[in-house]
Structure formats: structure tokens, C-alpha cells
Amino acid sequence: MESESTILTGLNNKQLEAVTLPHQSALILAGAGSGKTRVLTTRIAWLIQTGQVSPNGLLAVTFTNKAAKEMLTRLTSMLPINTRGMWVGTFHGLCNRLLRAHHREAGLPSTFQILDTADQLSAIKRLMKAMNVDDEKFPPKQVQGYINSCKEEGLRAHSVDAYDSHSQKLRDIFEEYDKQCQRDGVADFAELLLRCYELLERDAHIRQHYQSRFKYILVDEFQDTNRLQYLWLKLLAGQENCMFAVGDDDQSIYGFRGARVGNMRDFETDFKIQYIVKLEENYRSHSNILDAANAIISNNKNRLGKNLWTSAGKGEPVRIYEAYNDNDEAQFIVDEIKMLHAEGAELGEIALLYRSNAQSRILEHALFSANLPYRVYGGLRFFERAEIKHALAYMRLIANANDDTALLRVINFPARGIGARGLEQLQEDARNQSCSLWQAAINKVGNGKLGGKGLEGFVALIREMIDQAYGISLAEIAELATSSSGLIAHYQNDKEGEDRIENLKELVTAAVAFTNQDFGNHNNVDGDSAQDLLTQFLSHASLEAGDHQADVGREALQLMTVHAAKGLEFKAVFISGLEEGLCPHEQSMYENNGLEEERRLMYVAVTRARQRLYLSYAQSRMLHGQVRYGIPSRFLDEIPDELLKRLNSKPAPKAYANYTVGNTRSSNASQKNAMPWKIGQQVAHAKFGNGVVVSYEGNADDLRVQINFGREGLKWLALEYAKLNPI
């Protein structure tokens, strides 16, 4: 018993209760920073140590191989056991292991291979070509997403409803894909789980074998399970075994991947959970930060319910900064980081979080200009992202069509039927003629503007883009490169293309910002100046994509999306872009329970901070090449004032402070003088709440003002009757 007490040393009362629960299924509601990994691992060690189960008699499921390895490492430090044969791993890893042992019963060859995401996409493309399926009507990545979504719902092709010719064709491709995989003896990731589930469901002997073997089943990050994963766990547990599910419904942020937060409620009912153990003591953050997080998440409905607390003291107030525009916001963040660093904070202990990847560009530019090393966690810097490099390649061809590197990048992207053999032939022609690939292409297709796919279509496209680019602004050239090239249309057909499209639109914003910075807001420059500006912008993009990102091991700031930040913690956290439409994201308004998941994202972001938390938003922001006047995120309103310290922005520059006419039908001086509100000014209305002035129209006797009221939308109000008050 002495060794048992050693295992349990240091656990708080609730952790101890969870670890030492008797033989029963249990739901452990583990808040952020409450020590859930320790509880899960100690539960396993305690069950083994007390003789309730052998190391091979339990099954522990995680979502990443890293988490599984960490669990096994902790176990070996607690007990003198050999973990080599233990069933601890990811859903895919454990299903693969089970299918290897029963490949014959599962209908698989003993040497079946696993298709990763790229291999699966190649297999789908090969199949669609053999079936003569139009890849424009049925983009392969969209087909891949459809197949995987069906499998994650536990459905085969024959079980999927087809409502029209389009859905019927998708179902046909799915059916033929399954047959092709069976012939080839391969299985994709989704197939591993579905095939394993089907095997256990139909083969009572195998099912009963594993049900009798795994007396205890323990699951980490239970809130991230999808429908099929839950059904698999339920089948494996049977009627007698104990499921120990650890999760946090308030941190369920992967609905777009199929995660189903409702599984926690279903588990409570299906396994007749009598008592939920809540781990609410937080060992990470000060109470001001936790109180802010609690206040935000309390606005979600149907929560299992918990309230984080700490004995670490109140700590510093949560700082809120209202910037006059996005550049001011970025500069504020840079200045605060410099101050924190000067006070002794390591750069690696500071994180900059944002809702979507596209928001990183302006932050990266500010850090680059300030010579502050940074690292984009779990992703690429803005100018290194594939879709941006594609768009820049088109812009490089507009600037210089003889740029072979740029041409090779996009000659068949988006796909236009130029195969490897055709490209080899073009390169051979260029070598023989001692010319660029572009010149070789022109020589090959002639001087006529030919349409269609293939090389002729590519030459016609680049020629047209070069013609259209003469005399237009840099931002318009960027739009050509993102839209006329077909890039945006290509990513619209991609299941996960939304972020890429946002990044492409942000490239237009970058072009506007670069123009304003270097040419004093003179967009309509002559042809030669436009060409110079394009060349300079491309050089700027290359420099910012260069070697400024910190090398591995070097101290650096951490930039990341909120999704990427889950599971991490930092001494100081900046959450930027907290405006309606950005956070919560405007897309969430159109999705079922989308706003609640956005609030959970905010909760995750806030709970990443240990000591200092900065929240910032901007009165105006350049988005998609246009100035947008926003209002503060509703999540800021949900934080009690007593937890906050509001930081005043510096006085706005004259160019911003001066009143400028927006969308007006007339702009004479009398109207301008009659307008008491500045565009971008925040106002309050008795019925619609807080809003931002975005435009006005009419004459001095009949003036109307347009206001963005956020969740209430845009409203035109007669100024005489509007009864607006300044905020």
C-alpha cells in the first residue's frame, strides 16, 4: 500500500476521487489546466497497482501519437512495468492493430497498406479518370471529403441517400472507390475505424473476446469524438465493462472535423452515469483570467457545467485595447511585447492568437519590421502558404512572363490537363531553342489566342492577364492573380478551402497596404509606375517569406490560430481581431450551434494565458482590399468590467481622424457640415444597441446615416429621428 500512496501523492480531492473510483463507468469533466493527463495516467497506474487489471487488460485511447507516448512515459515513471504490449494509442492506431490480428475475418489481406490523405486523393483521381468523371463538376478533394464524411458517420455507399443526379454520381464514385481499395488491398484512415467497427458488430466471437479482455476502457479528449468513434467505443465496452471518459464540453472546437459534443450527453445516458466528477481547480492561470473565461462560457446553453477556480490569487486584470485600425493594433502588440521582453519575459512564453490564418499577415509584417523573431506554430507564415505562392507566381508572370520558376509552379495549377509528359516536352523545346519556357510555349501554340484547356489555354490566360494588368492598381493585379487565374474557384470546390480563400483575399489587402505605404494612396498610377510597384511588392513578399522566421531552438514569439493553441499555455497571451464577423466568425451565424462553438473557441483562447491576457480589436480593418468598420466582439461584452483594464489607444493620425465621405450620393460642404458623426465612430441606439457609423447619404435637409449594428445588421436611419448617442 506504500507504493499505492506514492502514486496518489499530490492529487487534490477531486483528482483523487476520479482516480480511485470503484468499478463503474465515469465521466470526468476536466477543465482547462486541471491536470486531466495526470488523472488519466494515474487512474491506469492505480488500477494496475491495486491488481484490478493487468497492463494488457485495459485499453486507453488518445487523439495523437504524441499524447499516447507521453502517457506511456508517465506510466513507466510511476510503475516498474513493461508498457510495450499495452493497448494505448490513437483510434486509427488501435483499429489498425486489431485489423492486423483479424485481417481474414475483416476481409483484408495480411499485408494491407494504409493510404494517407495524399495517397487517398491520388487513388480517387485515378478512379475518376477511369470512370470519365468531370473533375470540374466533381472536384477530387470534394469527393474525398464526401467519402470520408460518410465513413465517419458509419455509412457505406449503399446506405447513403441520393436525392438527385449529382448525389447519385457521388454515391457511385464512393461505391467504385470501395471496390478499388478492396482490389488493391488498401485502407484509408476512415476505413480503418469503419472496417473495425463492422467486424466487431457482425462477429460475436471476436467482439466478446475483446469485451472480456478490456475490462477498463479509458478515453482522453472525449469531447472530440465523432459519431463512429463513439459507436466503436460503445460496442467495445459492451454491458459489463467500465468506460472512463475524460473531456471538457467547453473545449469542443472541432465540429468542422466531425467532432460531436453531444457524445458527452449520450455517454451520460447510455452508460447510466450517476455522478460526474468535475475537475475545476486550475493550476495554470490567475483568477482574473479564469473568471473572464467562466463569464464568457456561461452564455452557452446545454453545458454540463463547471466553474474554474484557482488558489493562485487574482493576478493582473485582463487588458483590453481598442485600436483605431489594424495597423495600430499590430503596433500596440509589438510595443507591449518589447516591454514584456525588457521586463524579463522570454519571447517563447508569449503567444499571439487569431481566429483565422489570414489575420497573421499584418502581425507578421509588424514583427518583421520590429526585428522580433517569431514562429508560426502548426502552420506556415503568410507569404509561404501554398495558395499565396500560387497567386504570387501569377503576379510574377504578369511582371515577367519569362520567369521559369513561376511558370512551372502554376502551368497546371489549377489543373488544366498539362501532364508530366507535356511539361517534359516543353522543357526540352526550351533547351533546344535556348529560350524561356514561356517563349517555348508561345512558339509551340503560335500567336493566336487559343482557348480551352492545356497549354493553349494557359498561354491565352497569361496573355490576357498581362493585357488586363496594364494601367491598373497593384490591388487589382492581385485580384487578377487570385480570381482570373481560377485559384479562388478552385478552392471553393475544396472542402477545407475556406481558409485558403481568406488568405487569397488578404493578399489583395496586403497589396492595398503596400500601395498606401509606398505611393501615398495613389492607386491609379501610370503603366510604368504600376510595373515598378508590382516588382517592389514581389520583392517585399520574398523578403518577408525569407529567413526571418526563427530557427528551431531559437527563442521566438509564437503565432497561431486559436485551434492550434488548444493544449498549450503561455505566460502572456494576445488575442487580436476581436470584432463581430472575425471572432465570432461571420460564417458561424449560418451554422447550427455555430455561435456556441465560436464561444468555446474564445474560452480556449482565454485559458491559454497564465499571467497576462491582452484582448484587442480595431475600429476599422482592411479586409479583402477594403476598409471595414467593425464593432467589438460580443464576447468582450460578456466579461465583467471589474476584471478589465481598458487601455486607451494613441490619438489617431490626422488622415484617420479627419472626417471623410463614404458612400454618398453627393458630397457638398453643407452636407459634410450637417453630419455630426464621423465614419468609424461608435454610437448607441435605444433599439438596436451599439453600432459603428459606416456611411451616410442625402442632403442637409434629409440626411440618412448607415450604421453597422453587428448582430442586428446594417441599418439606414434618418438622422433627424435616429436619437444616437456617442459611446
Side-chain angles (χ1 to χ4, degrees):
M1 294 302 291
E2 185 179 343
S3 56
E4 179 187 336
S5 63
T6 302
I7 290 172
L8 304 178
T9 299
L11 297 176
N12 65 38
N13 290 338
K14 284 295 180 182
Q15 290 173 336
L16 183 64
E17 180 185 356
V19 166
T20 58
L21 281 170
H23 183 80
Q24 65 184 57
S25 289
L27 177 58
I28 313 301
L29 196 59
S34 64
K36 73 174 180 64
T37 304
R38 182 183 184 188
V39 166
L40 191 61
T41 310
T42 308
R43 170 71 171 174
I44 295 172
W46 182 77
L47 288 171
I48 295 171
Q49 181 66 42
T50 55
Q52 297 182 60
V53 69
S54 69
N56 293 331
L58 56 78
L59 177 117
V61 191
T62 68
F63 269 84
T64 65
N65 288 316
K66 180 182 177 183
K69 288 177 183 176
E70 181 184 351
M71 191 178 294
L72 291 171
T73 301
R74 288 196 187 199
L75 274 174
T76 54
S77 69
M78 298 169 78
L79 292 177
I81 58 171
N82 183 356
T83 61
R84 191 172 183 83
M86 291 184 68
W87 285 68
V88 177
T90 64
F91 280 99
H92 294 130
L94 294 170
C95 286
N96 174 55
R97 182 171 174 179
L98 195 147
L99 290 173
R100 295 287 173 191
H102 305 281
H103 63 87
R104 202 171 282 106
E105 294 88 343
L108 290 167
S110 60
T111 57
F112 76 85
Q113 298 298 306
I114 299 172
L115 296 177
D116 63 19
T117 304
D119 290 337
Q120 183 191 27
L121 185 60
S122 296
I124 289 169
K125 288 177 178 177
R126 187 171 71 250
L127 172 68
M128 289 175 60
K129 189 173 183 179
M131 293 177 67
N132 293 316
V133 176
D134 186 343
D135 61 6
E136 289 190 354
K137 288 184 180 178
F138 297 90
K141 284 199 94 173
Q142 198 174 71
V143 174
Q144 182 182 35
Y146 166 81
I147 291 172
N148 290 339
S149 294
C150 289
K151 289 187 178 184
E152 286 167 3
E153 286 294 313
L155 301 173
R156 291 291 181 193
H158 62 80
S159 304
V160 180
D161 292 329
Y163 303 101
D164 51 27
S165 59
H166 186 84
S167 56
Q168 179 63 56
K169 178 58 73 174
L170 282 172
R171 189 170 71 177
D172 292 345
I173 297 170
F174 182 10
E175 189 169 11
E176 289 303 316
Y177 168 76
D178 264 356
K179 291 177 182 176
Q180 176 179 282
C181 288
Q182 191 64 35
R183 286 194 304 269
D184 295 348
V186 297
D188 56 52
F189 287 141
E191 180 70 19
L192 290 174
L193 190 63
L194 180 55
R195 185 73 66 110
C196 189
Y197 172 76
E198 290 171 338
L199 171 64
L200 292 172
E201 187 179 42
R202 74 169 176 269
D203 195 313
H205 176 72
I206 293 176
R207 180 174 69 251
Q208 289 164 8
H209 166 75
Y210 286 102
Q211 286 176 348
S212 62
R213 175 173 183 167
F214 299 132
K215 189 177 179 182
Y216 290 92
I217 298 174
L218 304 97
V219 189
D220 192 14
E221 303 286 9
F222 192 75
Q223 77 280 350
D224 293 335
T225 53
N226 62 31
R227 181 175 183 273
L228 183 58
Q229 287 165 342
Y230 178 64
L231 292 175
W232 182 79
L233 288 166
K234 191 177 172 184
L235 191 61
L236 204 56
Q239 298 296 314
E240 305 297 329
N241 297 338
C242 295
M243 181 110 80
F244 187 85
V246 182
D248 182 1
D249 56 332
D250 290 335
Q251 293 191 76
S252 180
I253 60 173
Y254 297 116
F256 65 97
R257 291 184 190 165
R260 187 173 174 271
V261 68
N263 285 348
M264 297 187 79
R265 284 284 184 191
D266 289 347
F267 173 69
E268 190 180 2
T269 303
D270 295 342
F271 285 79
K272 298 179 176 58
I273 304 300
Q274 299 299 315
Y275 179 59
I276 299 175
V277 181
K278 298 181 181 180
L279 304 182
E280 298 173 298
E281 183 174 1
N282 177 283
Y283 293 94
R284 177 187 298 159
S285 310
H286 287 136
S287 65
N288 278 337
I289 294 171
L290 298 179
D291 290 347
N294 289 332
I296 292 168
I297 202 64
S298 67
N299 290 276
N300 272 1
K301 300 174 183 177
N302 300 317
R303 297 172 59 232
L304 291 169
K306 66 179 184 316
N307 207 57
L308 296 178
W309 63 276
T310 182
S311 58
K314 285 189 173 296
E316 300 185 37
V318 175
R319 291 162 168 83
I320 288 189
Y321 182 76
E322 178 186 21
Y324 53 82
N325 64 14
D326 44 359
N327 285 309
D328 175 41
E329 180 188 39
Q331 190 56 52
F332 163 75
I333 291 172
V334 165
D335 291 343
E336 286 294 309
I337 289 169
K338 286 180 176 177
M339 182 197 72
L340 290 172
H341 191 44
E343 291 176 353
E346 294 183 7
L347 292 178
E349 280 288 316
I350 304 172
L352 279 64
L353 308 185
Y354 34 82
R355 172 61 181 84
S356 62
N357 273 306
Q359 292 172 247
S360 79
R361 183 198 62 82
I362 196 162
L363 295 170
E364 290 186 54
H365 178 69
L367 294 171
F368 177 85
S369 300
N371 199 31
L372 280 169
Y374 67 90
R375 187 175 297 112
V376 179
Y377 182 90
L380 297 169
R381 287 173 296 165
F382 183 79
F383 285 110
E384 287 182 338
R385 292 165 192 162
E387 61 276 13
I388 298 301
K389 291 177 84 74
H390 291 327
L392 290 172
Y394 279 107
M395 294 176 76
R396 285 167 59 181
L397 290 174
I398 290 171
N400 174 21
N402 294 310
D403 185 333
D404 283 358
T405 303
L407 186 142
L408 284 170
R409 183 174 190 92
V410 296
I411 191 170
N412 198 40
F413 195 93
R416 51 180 60 88
I418 301 174
R421 183 69 194 99
L423 192 53
E424 287 173 9
Q425 184 62 56
L426 183 63
Q427 291 173 306
E428 189 176 325
D429 290 347
R431 283 193 297 271
N432 292 338
Q433 298 167 28
S434 299
C435 65
S436 68
L437 291 172
W438 171 249
Q439 190 59 53
I442 290 176
N443 294 341
K444 193 176 186 70
V445 305
N447 291 321
K449 288 192 175 182
L450 305 176
K453 286 192 172 185
L455 189 61
E456 296 90 345
F458 177 71
V459 169
L461 172 66
I462 300 303
R463 278 176 162 161
E464 185 177 356
M465 290 174 76
I466 291 170
D467 289 345
Q468 291 178 349
Y470 184 78
I472 65 175
S473 70
L474 178 62
E476 289 168 321
I477 293 174
E479 283 193 30
L480 269 181
T482 57
S483 298
S484 298
S485 64
L487 287 174
I488 285 183
H490 170 79
Y491 290 119
Q492 281 173 339
N493 292 321
D494 188 336
K495 184 186 176 187
E496 298 179 354
E498 183 182 327
D499 266 3
R500 296 185 186 275
I501 291 171
E502 284 195 7
N503 286 335
L504 289 171
K505 290 178 177 178
E506 181 62 19
L507 182 65
V508 178
T509 298
V512 172
F514 188 81
T515 303
N516 292 344
Q517 175 185 318
D518 287 2
F519 281 78
N521 208 16
H522 298 306
N523 284 340
N524 295 316
V525 294
D526 59 72
D528 290 338
S529 297
Q531 190 70 19
D532 291 343
L533 186 56
L534 174 57
T535 301
Q536 290 173 30
F537 178 72
L538 292 170
S539 298
H540 159 79
S542 297
L543 287 170
E544 290 217 357
D547 58 1
H548 194 68
Q549 176 147 300
D551 296 329
V552 176
R554 183 187 175 193
E555 186 188 11
L557 293 158
Q558 305 295 309
L559 272 68
M560 67 194 77
T561 63
V562 180
H563 281 105
K566 186 170 180 289
L568 304 177
E569 60 181 75
F570 304 91
K571 183 176 182 179
V573 168
F574 293 80
I575 310 174
S576 63
L578 291 176
E579 298 132 41
E580 290 287 305
L582 282 180
C583 182
H585 196 279
E586 57 192 355
Q587 192 64 35
S588 69
M589 310 301 175
Y590 308 105
E591 297 172 353
N592 187 31
N593 296 321
L595 182 58
E596 294 220 339
E597 182 148 327
E598 290 291 305
R599 188 173 279 109
R600 292 195 291 268
L601 263 177
M602 184 66 180
Y603 175 82
V604 167
V606 167
T607 53
R608 299 310 95 195
R610 293 201 302 268
Q611 296 179 18
R612 276 212 187 185
L613 176 64
Y614 293 85
L615 310 175
S616 62
Y617 62 96
Q619 295 171 9
S620 71
R621 185 177 299 276
M622 185 77 75
L623 285 173
H624 311 158
Q626 297 182 330
V627 175
R628 185 169 102 173
Y629 296 96
I631 61 175
S633 167
R634 68 190 70 196
F635 301 148
L636 296 175
D637 294 336
E638 295 170 357
I639 303 174
D641 281 340
E642 60 267 23
L643 303 176
L644 302 175
K645 179 179 181 180
R646 297 184 183 274
L647 306 176
N648 296 324
S649 63
K650 296 170 289 187
K654 280 189 176 181
Y656 179 83
N658 289 343
Y659 175 69
T660 56
V661 179
N663 294 326
T664 61
R665 294 177 184 170
S666 173
S667 58
N668 60 49
S670 64
Q671 286 176 301
K672 194 168 179 179
N673 293 333
M675 179 62 180
W677 310 109
K678 296 177 182 178
I679 290 180
Q681 186 169 352
Q682 292 189 42
V683 293
H685 186 273
K687 180 179 179 181
F688 302 121
N690 295 344
V692 174
V693 177
V694 296
S695 180
Y696 76 90
E697 66 179 20
N699 55 44
D701 299 322
D702 181 23
L703 200 58
R704 296 201 310 153
V705 61
Q706 188 183 40
I707 301 173
N708 181 359
F709 286 106
R711 67 192 82 179
E712 295 291 338
L714 287 167
K715 307 285 184 185
W716 279 104
L717 302 175
L719 192 60
E720 185 179 354
Y721 307 105
K723 295 183 180 178
L724 299 171
N725 296 306
I727 296 179

